[in-house]
Amino acid sequence: MDGKDKAKVEAQARQTKARFIISSKNLKEVEKVTRQMILKAKGFDPENPPESKDQQSPNPQNITIKGPLRMPIKKLVIHCRKTPCGEGSKTWDRYEMRIFKRVIDFTCDESDIPKFTNVVVGTGVDIESVIAVED
């Protein structure tokens, strides 16, 4: 074996830990993206999900999935007076924005990551990824 072949074998043998943090104001979009990533990682087509949880995937992959972990909902609340001048009765408006967050951890080969990260992301959905290679 020459140096290039050894590098390929080492790259395949290395396990990669990937953490994806999905957040949005829209809960349905967060759940949709999370479900798509998990189904693709298990080897299923997100358009045709399995009927039962015990069903074997058509093309099994060596991927370990932990999650989705549901993080606490972050509530941003603003109270403001309705009247700009301060005269009249003291009435207040209350505005609230909720941010939903999910965390998924994958342990897999480096070559498997693009297989489950190719998902359709709706507007307003943020995905943060952290990828670490184990030695």
Side-chain angles (χ1 to χ4, degrees):
M1 271 196 213
D2 60 351
K4 291 182 181 178
D5 292 334
K6 286 182 182 179
K8 286 181 182 178
V9 171
E10 287 178 11
Q12 290 174 352
R14 276 192 251 165
Q15 289 288 312
T16 303
K17 286 190 174 183
R19 171 171 278 185
F20 294 94
I21 302 169
I22 304 157
S23 60
S24 176
K25 296 185 290 184
N26 189 349
L27 178 62
K28 288 183 180 181
E29 288 294 323
V30 171
E31 292 292 337
K32 180 180 170 185
V33 171
T34 303
R35 189 162 192 270
Q36 283 181 1
M37 288 181 78
I38 290 174
L39 285 175
K40 283 192 175 188
K42 289 183 178 179
F44 292 105
D45 180 22
E47 301 298 322
N48 300 319
E51 285 87 30
S52 67
K53 290 185 177 182
D54 299 330
Q55 185 177 349
Q56 295 293 323
S57 74
N59 48 350
Q61 299 170 357
N62 189 19
I63 298 175
T64 305
I65 305 168
K66 289 185 180 178
L69 301 173
R70 289 160 177 83
M71 302 305 286
I73 299 169
K74 187 173 187 177
K75 290 184 181 179
L76 304 174
V77 181
I78 295 176
H79 298 280
C80 60
R81 284 283 303 264
K82 283 187 178 182
T83 58
C85 62
E87 296 293 323
S89 62
K90 296 178 182 172
T91 54
W92 296 81
D93 275 333
R94 182 174 182 262
Y95 299 101
E96 180 178 293
M97 181 172 67
R98 291 191 256 162
I99 300 173
F100 302 95
K101 197 178 279 191
R102 302 288 183 264
V103 176
I104 310 172
D105 290 325
F106 296 99
T107 304
C108 60
D109 294 332
E110 289 181 47
S111 60
D112 291 334
I113 292 176
K115 294 177 185 174
F116 58 82
T117 56
N118 186 16
V119 294
V120 177
V121 179
T123 58
V125 178
D126 296 325
I127 299 179
E128 179 184 334
S129 62
V130 178
I131 299 174
V133 178
E134 292 181 356
D135 291 329

